[in-house]
Amino acid sequence: MTATTTTVDRGERESLGEFFLRAPAIGPALALVVAVVVFSVSTSTFLDLDNLSLVVEQSLVVGTLALGQTLIILTAGIDLSNAAAMVLATLLMAKLLVGGVPGIFALILGVLVTSLLGLVTGSLVTRIKLPPFIVTLGLFTMLTAAGKLVAGGQAVPIAPGSLPAWLGTRRYLFGGIPVTYGMTLALVMYLVLWYALTRTAWGKHVYAVGNAPESARLTGIKVNRTIVSVYLVAGLIFGIAAWQALGRVPNADPNAYQLGNLDSITAVVLGGTSLFGGRGSVFGTMMGALIVTVLRSGLTQLGVDSLYQDVATGALVIAAVAVDRLARRKK
Amino acid sequence: MRQRSLLCLVTAGVLAVSGCTVERHWGGNSAPAGSGQAKVGLVTKTETNPYFVELRNAASAAAQAQGAAFMALAGQFDGDNDGQVRAIENMVQQGVTTILITPNSSTGVLAAIARARQEGVLVIALDTATEPASAVDATYATDNVAAGRQQGAYVKAALGGRPPKVIMIDGTAGSTVDTYRHNGFLEGSGLSDGDPAIVGRDNANGDQSIAQQKMENLLQRTTDIDAVYTMNEPTARGAYAALQARGLAGQLVMGSIDGGCQGVQNVRDGLYAATVMQFPRKMAEEGVTAAVRYARTGQKPSGFIDTGSVVITDHPMPGVASQNTEWGLQNCWGTK
């Protein structure tokens, strides 16, 4: 695995491939625009503010899971347990809410649980040098079972209004566009992480650790500490994903989001982040999550069977990585 | 060194939690064959789904009441054929006289069932029929076509002669139960696949959040609908959320199937007009009774035994037999 440098000599004209390498979010952004245009032309219902708002709302949970997943994949790790941790958090939160605990405490507990799990994962990966794939595979199994144990396999419905009003699907108008609080929360998270990754030393360390851990160590970066911090922050984000999930569907279900882990990886990959670490962007991931939802929404409105929608999504993942490879080969 | 011992600890922990759970209370030592002592093994689709928990608890109680030994095993997830095959093999190994099984796929576990029957084990399907039905000795289940038919008949009656404009939210594509309920609904409402009266259709795998998303997308196509078919109650809850967001809830007739306590409560709260209740407890009790009879007399049940289903609604319609939600809450399964 060779590390690729992503700096471009400004003196010469860069090729298209180099341009894509420098800004990994450009490709997925273009794909998203193309998809939106195609569906806007081919259906009479897609291009309307309510629908576009709905598409964003539908992508919030996976989009939030994918944000944390992006951080982890940037360090050349992977998290197969993120959706299971989120579902466990929703169940614990719902249990508390049903027990009459104020909403804010439930929210704090949800984030605490997933953050703690992130800390455990990070420690196992760095201290015992276990592959992230293995650690999170084991955790995925355990957490899925734990979720079912918490509520005896039952879904736990929560009373409307037991969560703070700023969660969930409550809308306000922003320049005529219907926006939910959940979307605002997601956007803020993306912006904060974009800033942290591109404008702070911590962000540079994350990329460096993913690119070449040995070189990073030699330049004095505390590799293990950086990796643990990444899993911790990702865990925190998975807790916020649990808020989003409960906000949208006020019913914690141990059987929900069974493929959420893979869905989040799909969004990250479509967003142009490399599974080998060190290259990618959170806005790419945002585009990736939106592409999947736009495809589903648009194809449904075209009357395409959902199984064919799955086929299309899978093909797109392979195509996205193939384009990425070809762009790099040109280099 | 310290790392190694930690690794061992972690491994041991993982092994401890990943073992499958077994509930058993053998009546002392294993009884010799033909002694009339029934040993009943129950294989459900999953360990934790409330519906199967109800099935297991009812079977366990019935076995205890009738002096039969009992053990229960399950697959890990819906569709885990392999896990069910292992469960059947383990039970035959332990000398059960009868296996009650809710097969994960109507064909996936047939070979293992055939081997068990060759060993002289009576095999009864509960809740889900096998394909062909003759792969087991007998089937105790809800007639899912009839359940769908009742939902269809109710919706049709509630529309009161208005032309139906239906959205159908189905379960898992290709699953037997899903197909039966879907076809039953069409039969009961007097429609057929491809009818222009069906203005939208999608699969939601019985999952509430997926159902909500599918319904949102279908409603984007058209909001000119007056009826909704849902394959089970989580699906109906998801569909309701999408309808409510569009301000359509309460302006149309939505039906469902299952009879879980949460579902009956939903009907009571007016989220949807009716649900069709099935009776897992009855399936389990009758299955155990047949197992005990077989151990004592060698007499096997045969064929399909319908354990019945009934419409639960607070708005009864002429020509559609139903019970109210009060009765429904007394007879539902899951947490009351």
Side-chain angles (χ1 to χ4, degrees), chain B residues 126-156:
Chain B
L126 299 185
D127 175 68
T128 310
T130 50
E131 194 90 46
S134 60
V136 290
D137 291 290
T139 304
Y140 291 83
T142 308
D143 178 345
N144 277 300
V145 177
R149 202 183 296 127
Q150 288 177 88
Q151 188 189 150
Y154 180 89
V155 166
K156 188 179 177 182

Short mmCIF file of all heavy atoms in Angstrom, two decimals, chain B residues 126-156:
data_model
loop_
_atom_site.label_atom_id
_atom_site.label_comp_id
_atom_site.label_asym_id
_atom_site.label_seq_id
_atom_site.Cartn_x
_atom_site.Cartn_y
_atom_site.Cartn_z
N LEU B 126 -45.33 -24.58 12.53
CA LEU B 126 -46.19 -23.59 13.19
C LEU B 126 -46.05 -22.26 12.47
O LEU B 126 -44.94 -21.90 12.07
CB LEU B 126 -45.77 -23.38 14.65
CG LEU B 126 -45.82 -24.55 15.62
CD1 LEU B 126 -45.47 -24.07 17.02
CD2 LEU B 126 -47.20 -25.19 15.64
N ASP B 127 -47.13 -21.55 12.31
CA ASP B 127 -47.14 -20.19 11.78
C ASP B 127 -46.83 -20.07 10.29
O ASP B 127 -47.46 -19.31 9.59
CB ASP B 127 -46.17 -19.29 12.58
CG ASP B 127 -46.06 -17.90 11.96
OD1 ASP B 127 -47.07 -17.19 12.04
OD2 ASP B 127 -45.01 -17.56 11.41
N THR B 128 -45.82 -20.79 9.80
CA THR B 128 -45.43 -20.68 8.40
C THR B 128 -45.45 -22.06 7.76
O THR B 128 -44.80 -22.97 8.28
CB THR B 128 -44.02 -20.09 8.28
OG1 THR B 128 -43.94 -18.91 9.06
CG2 THR B 128 -43.68 -19.77 6.83
N ALA B 129 -46.16 -22.20 6.68
CA ALA B 129 -46.24 -23.50 6.01
C ALA B 129 -44.96 -23.76 5.21
O ALA B 129 -44.27 -22.82 4.83
CB ALA B 129 -47.44 -23.54 5.08
N THR B 130 -44.65 -25.04 5.01
CA THR B 130 -43.52 -25.37 4.14
C THR B 130 -44.03 -25.49 2.70
O THR B 130 -45.23 -25.54 2.46
CB THR B 130 -42.88 -26.70 4.55
OG1 THR B 130 -43.91 -27.68 4.66
CG2 THR B 130 -42.13 -26.58 5.85
N GLU B 131 -43.12 -25.54 1.79
CA GLU B 131 -43.46 -25.64 0.37
C GLU B 131 -42.71 -26.83 -0.21
O GLU B 131 -41.50 -26.75 -0.32
CB GLU B 131 -43.01 -24.34 -0.31
CG GLU B 131 -43.53 -24.09 -1.67
CD GLU B 131 -44.83 -23.32 -1.65
OE1 GLU B 131 -44.96 -22.32 -0.93
OE2 GLU B 131 -45.72 -23.77 -2.37
N PRO B 132 -43.28 -27.98 -0.51
CA PRO B 132 -44.71 -28.31 -0.39
C PRO B 132 -45.12 -28.53 1.06
O PRO B 132 -44.28 -28.84 1.90
CB PRO B 132 -44.82 -29.61 -1.18
CG PRO B 132 -43.49 -30.25 -1.00
CD PRO B 132 -42.50 -29.12 -0.96
N ALA B 133 -46.43 -28.45 1.31
CA ALA B 133 -46.94 -28.60 2.67
C ALA B 133 -46.70 -30.01 3.19
O ALA B 133 -46.62 -30.24 4.39
CB ALA B 133 -48.43 -28.27 2.70
N SER B 134 -46.55 -30.97 2.27
CA SER B 134 -46.38 -32.37 2.68
C SER B 134 -44.99 -32.66 3.23
O SER B 134 -44.69 -33.77 3.65
CB SER B 134 -46.66 -33.29 1.50
OG SER B 134 -45.74 -32.99 0.45
N ALA B 135 -44.10 -31.65 3.24
CA ALA B 135 -42.76 -31.84 3.78
C ALA B 135 -42.80 -32.05 5.30
O ALA B 135 -41.89 -32.61 5.89
CB ALA B 135 -41.88 -30.65 3.45
N VAL B 136 -43.89 -31.59 5.94
CA VAL B 136 -44.06 -31.82 7.37
C VAL B 136 -45.33 -32.67 7.58
O VAL B 136 -46.12 -32.83 6.65
CB VAL B 136 -44.21 -30.50 8.16
CG1 VAL B 136 -42.90 -29.73 8.20
CG2 VAL B 136 -45.33 -29.65 7.59
N ASP B 137 -45.49 -33.19 8.79
CA ASP B 137 -46.67 -34.02 9.04
C ASP B 137 -47.94 -33.18 9.06
O ASP B 137 -48.97 -33.59 8.54
CB ASP B 137 -46.49 -34.77 10.37
CG ASP B 137 -45.40 -35.83 10.26
OD1 ASP B 137 -45.65 -36.84 9.56
OD2 ASP B 137 -44.32 -35.65 10.83
N ALA B 138 -47.84 -32.00 9.69
CA ALA B 138 -49.02 -31.14 9.77
C ALA B 138 -48.58 -29.70 9.96
O ALA B 138 -47.43 -29.43 10.31
CB ALA B 138 -49.91 -31.56 10.93
N THR B 139 -49.49 -28.76 9.69
CA THR B 139 -49.19 -27.34 9.84
C THR B 139 -50.29 -26.67 10.67
O THR B 139 -51.47 -26.81 10.36
CB THR B 139 -49.13 -26.67 8.45
OG1 THR B 139 -48.16 -27.35 7.66
CG2 THR B 139 -48.74 -25.20 8.57
N TYR B 140 -49.89 -26.01 11.75
CA TYR B 140 -50.82 -25.21 12.54
C TYR B 140 -50.46 -23.75 12.30
O TYR B 140 -49.39 -23.31 12.72
CB TYR B 140 -50.71 -25.53 14.03
CG TYR B 140 -51.20 -26.91 14.40
CD1 TYR B 140 -50.38 -28.02 14.25
CD2 TYR B 140 -52.48 -27.09 14.92
CE1 TYR B 140 -50.84 -29.29 14.60
CE2 TYR B 140 -52.94 -28.35 15.27
CZ TYR B 140 -52.12 -29.45 15.11
OH TYR B 140 -52.56 -30.69 15.45
N ALA B 141 -51.30 -23.01 11.62
CA ALA B 141 -50.92 -21.65 11.25
C ALA B 141 -52.14 -20.79 10.95
O ALA B 141 -53.25 -21.30 10.81
CB ALA B 141 -50.01 -21.69 10.02
N THR B 142 -51.89 -19.50 10.87
CA THR B 142 -52.89 -18.60 10.35
C THR B 142 -52.97 -18.84 8.85
O THR B 142 -51.95 -18.96 8.18
CB THR B 142 -52.46 -17.14 10.56
OG1 THR B 142 -52.13 -16.96 11.92
CG2 THR B 142 -53.55 -16.16 10.14
N ASP B 143 -54.16 -18.91 8.32
CA ASP B 143 -54.31 -18.92 6.87
C ASP B 143 -54.07 -17.48 6.42
O ASP B 143 -54.95 -16.63 6.55
CB ASP B 143 -55.72 -19.39 6.51
CG ASP B 143 -55.95 -19.38 5.01
OD1 ASP B 143 -55.15 -18.76 4.29
OD2 ASP B 143 -56.93 -19.99 4.56
N ASN B 144 -52.84 -17.21 5.94
CA ASN B 144 -52.47 -15.83 5.62
C ASN B 144 -53.27 -15.25 4.45
O ASN B 144 -53.48 -14.05 4.38
CB ASN B 144 -50.97 -15.72 5.36
CG ASN B 144 -50.19 -15.58 6.65
OD1 ASN B 144 -50.40 -14.62 7.40
ND2 ASN B 144 -49.33 -16.53 6.95
N VAL B 145 -53.70 -16.12 3.54
CA VAL B 145 -54.56 -15.64 2.46
C VAL B 145 -55.87 -15.13 3.06
O VAL B 145 -56.35 -14.06 2.71
CB VAL B 145 -54.83 -16.75 1.42
CG1 VAL B 145 -55.78 -16.25 0.34
CG2 VAL B 145 -53.52 -17.21 0.79
N ALA B 146 -56.41 -15.91 4.02
CA ALA B 146 -57.66 -15.50 4.67
C ALA B 146 -57.47 -14.19 5.44
O ALA B 146 -58.35 -13.33 5.44
CB ALA B 146 -58.15 -16.60 5.60
N ALA B 147 -56.31 -14.05 6.11
CA ALA B 147 -56.04 -12.82 6.86
C ALA B 147 -56.00 -11.62 5.92
O ALA B 147 -56.59 -10.57 6.18
CB ALA B 147 -54.72 -12.95 7.62
N GLY B 148 -55.31 -11.79 4.79
CA GLY B 148 -55.26 -10.72 3.80
C GLY B 148 -56.64 -10.42 3.24
O GLY B 148 -57.01 -9.26 3.06
N ARG B 149 -57.40 -11.51 3.02
CA ARG B 149 -58.75 -11.36 2.46
C ARG B 149 -59.62 -10.52 3.40
O ARG B 149 -60.37 -9.66 2.96
CB ARG B 149 -59.37 -12.74 2.24
CG ARG B 149 -60.50 -12.73 1.21
CD ARG B 149 -61.14 -14.10 1.06
NE ARG B 149 -60.23 -15.11 0.54
CZ ARG B 149 -60.01 -16.29 1.15
NH1 ARG B 149 -60.63 -16.59 2.27
NH2 ARG B 149 -59.19 -17.17 0.61
N GLN B 150 -59.48 -10.76 4.71
CA GLN B 150 -60.29 -10.00 5.66
C GLN B 150 -59.91 -8.53 5.66
O GLN B 150 -60.77 -7.66 5.75
CB GLN B 150 -60.11 -10.57 7.08
CG GLN B 150 -60.80 -11.92 7.26
CD GLN B 150 -60.53 -12.49 8.64
OE1 GLN B 150 -61.25 -12.21 9.58
NE2 GLN B 150 -59.48 -13.29 8.77
N GLN B 151 -58.59 -8.24 5.56
CA GLN B 151 -58.18 -6.84 5.48
C GLN B 151 -58.78 -6.20 4.22
O GLN B 151 -59.30 -5.08 4.26
CB GLN B 151 -56.65 -6.70 5.46
CG GLN B 151 -56.21 -5.25 5.58
CD GLN B 151 -54.73 -4.98 5.36
OE1 GLN B 151 -54.34 -3.92 4.91
NE2 GLN B 151 -53.87 -5.93 5.72
N GLY B 152 -58.70 -6.93 3.11
CA GLY B 152 -59.24 -6.41 1.85
C GLY B 152 -60.74 -6.18 1.92
O GLY B 152 -61.24 -5.14 1.48
N ALA B 153 -61.45 -7.14 2.52
CA ALA B 153 -62.90 -7.02 2.63
C ALA B 153 -63.27 -5.82 3.50
O ALA B 153 -64.20 -5.07 3.20
CB ALA B 153 -63.50 -8.30 3.21
N TYR B 154 -62.52 -5.63 4.60
CA TYR B 154 -62.81 -4.51 5.50
C TYR B 154 -62.59 -3.19 4.77
O TYR B 154 -63.44 -2.29 4.82
CB TYR B 154 -61.93 -4.57 6.76
CG TYR B 154 -62.22 -3.41 7.68
CD1 TYR B 154 -63.21 -3.51 8.66
CD2 TYR B 154 -61.56 -2.19 7.54
CE1 TYR B 154 -63.53 -2.44 9.47
CE2 TYR B 154 -61.87 -1.11 8.35
CZ TYR B 154 -62.85 -1.23 9.31
OH TYR B 154 -63.17 -0.16 10.11
N VAL B 155 -61.46 -3.08 4.10
CA VAL B 155 -61.13 -1.83 3.39
C VAL B 155 -62.20 -1.53 2.34
O VAL B 155 -62.69 -0.40 2.21
CB VAL B 155 -59.73 -1.92 2.74
CG1 VAL B 155 -59.51 -0.80 1.73
CG2 VAL B 155 -58.65 -1.87 3.83
N LYS B 156 -62.61 -2.58 1.60
CA LYS B 156 -63.61 -2.40 0.57
C LYS B 156 -64.93 -1.91 1.18
O LYS B 156 -65.55 -0.96 0.68
CB LYS B 156 -63.83 -3.72 -0.17
CG LYS B 156 -64.71 -3.57 -1.40
CD LYS B 156 -64.89 -4.88 -2.13
CE LYS B 156 -65.84 -4.66 -3.30
NZ LYS B 156 -66.10 -5.91 -4.03
#
